[in-house]
Amino acid sequence: MNLRQIEVFCAVMRCRTVVAASHELGISQPAVSNSIKHLEAQLGFPLFERVSNRLVPTNDARTLYSDAEPVEAMARALASRVSDMRTLRRGSLRVLTTQAVGRSLVARAVARFAQRGNDLYVYFDQRRMESMIEGLEAGFADLGFGVAPAPRPGMTIVPVAYGKMMVALPKGHHLLSQSYVSAADLDGERIIGLDPTSRIGMIVRKAFQEEGVDYACSLEVRHCTSACMLVEEGLGVAVVDAFSASDTIGWNIEVRPFTPEVELSACALYVTSRPLSRLAKRFLSDIRQIDVAPPPLAEAPGSPEAGDERLRRRRRIA
């Protein structure tokens, strides 16, 4: 069976009529009928029974379809990739991101990038860090983005923006009277913790340990954005990255810089053995122009320096 025969066979299995299969494939009805007849002759056994203008698959056809369907899917994926490569002058880019920088940074860059022309094709998806890296290594995407990714063999990691850890507090919380909130200040508070297996979770726990403060959590989440949601519900406080904090503008929470100061980088990732295309490099240039800042810091009582620029998240271009 060649790929064309597999394609026609799978279309007939899905549609069950020659007419519907011909519409799906964009070929004539006789072409579909002849292809099935030739395939049956080639295989030496019937694939369909003709009943009231419908093609009823035999048990052999059902068995064959279970193996043929994934082959057809792989062929379609390959054809799509070839089409992307062929039309690169018009624009084709696949981007994966983690939740931390998905909306605050990458989605905004995608919007700016897509406005360059109507012919641009962009695939954008949000995943966990592990799944994102798997997608890059499998060749499914050109670029990935995440916060503080761990070094990985065969993966190039390029910082594109910087931010500090912040403390998310419900409005009216007594710690909002301070310009900074330390690990010691959070001792005894109800902390919404980050998954200790996540990269940011490990960084936060280490900061508490270095200050000799127990990072005792009554609630635990995977993502900083989830922690902010629970803070808004009044369930506690949380130490989150500035990129996630920037998504909370308009929420019923406020933030303060966390001390000891912990700076994190938002990074682009790509497979070292697959050099970036011109469009991917252009996208990196675009994303470096995105200004990501946490919600404006309300002035703490008695702290005129709270509104100072140094309390705002610092962003640099790598």
Side-chain angles (χ1 to χ4, degrees):
M1 297 176 65
N2 58 42
L3 286 176
R4 185 56 173 173
Q5 289 175 319
I6 292 175
E7 182 182 24
V8 173
F9 168 66
C10 289
V12 174
M13 285 293 293
R14 285 191 297 269
C15 301
R16 301 300 171 88
T17 69
V18 171
V19 175
S22 68
H23 281 301
E24 179 179 309
L25 296 171
I27 60 178
S28 68
Q29 297 176 36
V32 173
S33 297
N34 290 334
S35 180
I36 294 298
K37 289 178 182 178
H38 291 156
L39 180 58
E40 289 178 323
Q42 182 178 326
L43 295 175
F45 53 83
L47 295 172
F48 299 94
E49 296 178 1
R50 280 70 177 175
V51 179
S52 301
N53 295 325
R54 296 187 65 84
L55 298 178
V56 180
T58 63
N59 288 335
D60 289 330
R62 296 179 190 277
T63 301
L64 188 62
Y65 183 59
S66 65
D67 291 328
E69 187 180 26
V71 174
E72 185 202 22
M74 291 178 62
R76 286 200 308 268
L78 179 60
S80 177
R81 172 60 71 177
V82 170
S83 177
D84 286 349
M85 295 171 64
R86 183 174 60 248
T87 61
L88 186 59
R89 59 186 178 82
R90 297 192 308 174
S92 172
L93 184 69
R94 290 177 174 268
V95 178
L96 301 178
T97 181
T98 60
Q99 187 179 68
V101 289
R103 186 170 67 172
S104 62
L105 183 64
V106 184
R108 293 170 60 192
V110 167
R112 176 180 293 186
F113 184 78
Q115 290 172 356
R116 292 183 180 275
N118 294 328
D119 292 331
L120 288 174
Y121 170 82
V122 180
Y123 179 88
F124 171 68
D125 191 21
Q126 186 170 282
R127 301 184 177 186
R128 293 180 59 165
M129 180 73 76
E130 298 85 352
S131 177
M132 180 191 71
I133 291 175
E134 289 175 0
L136 291 172
E137 292 177 336
F140 181 78
D142 305 296
L143 282 169
F145 293 89
V147 176
R152 188 178 181 90
M155 192 71 65
T156 297
I157 301 175
V158 183
V160 294
Y162 293 85
K164 298 175 184 177
M165 296 303 295
M166 311 291 289
V167 180
L169 303 160
K171 287 191 175 180
H173 196 280
H174 68 93
L175 288 177
L176 289 172
S177 63
Q178 302 179 191
S179 299
Y180 297 86
V181 176
S182 69
D185 293 328
L186 297 177
D187 192 14
E189 293 288 334
R190 190 179 188 188
I191 297 177
I192 299 166
L194 302 175
D195 185 345
T197 65
S198 70
R199 181 72 170 165
I200 298 180
M202 290 188 288
I203 291 173
V204 173
R205 286 176 183 272
K206 182 180 179 182
F208 272 72
Q209 290 171 358
E210 291 177 349
E211 293 298 304
V213 179
D214 185 24
Y215 187 62
C217 307
S218 57
L219 291 169
E220 193 172 271
V221 297
R222 174 74 182 179
H223 302 291
C224 290
T225 302
S226 302
C228 291
M229 291 178 184
L230 298 184
V231 170
E232 187 177 34
E233 294 298 323
L235 296 178
V237 303
V239 181
V240 300
D241 64 89
F243 305 102
S244 298
S246 70
D247 278 343
T248 65
I249 297 176
W251 294 23
N252 196 33
I253 70 174
E254 292 187 32
V255 299
R256 289 289 183 268
F258 175 70
T259 182
E261 184 177 292
V262 179
E263 189 171 79
L264 299 173
S265 57
C267 298
L269 299 86
Y270 62 91
V271 176
T272 306
S273 62
R274 290 196 293 270
L276 292 179
S277 66
R278 296 188 306 275
L279 283 176
K281 292 177 180 178
R282 181 188 297 176
F283 185 80
L284 278 182
S285 177
D286 283 355
I287 206 167
R288 287 187 171 110
Q289 305 306 314
I290 302 296
D291 184 24
V292 180
L297 300 175
E299 183 175 334
S303 303
E305 73 277 16
D308 195 281
E309 183 65 23
R310 68 187 181 86
L311 293 181
R312 301 183 185 278
R313 192 187 65 78
R314 192 169 66 242
R315 187 179 188 279
R316 298 196 299 271
I317 304 302

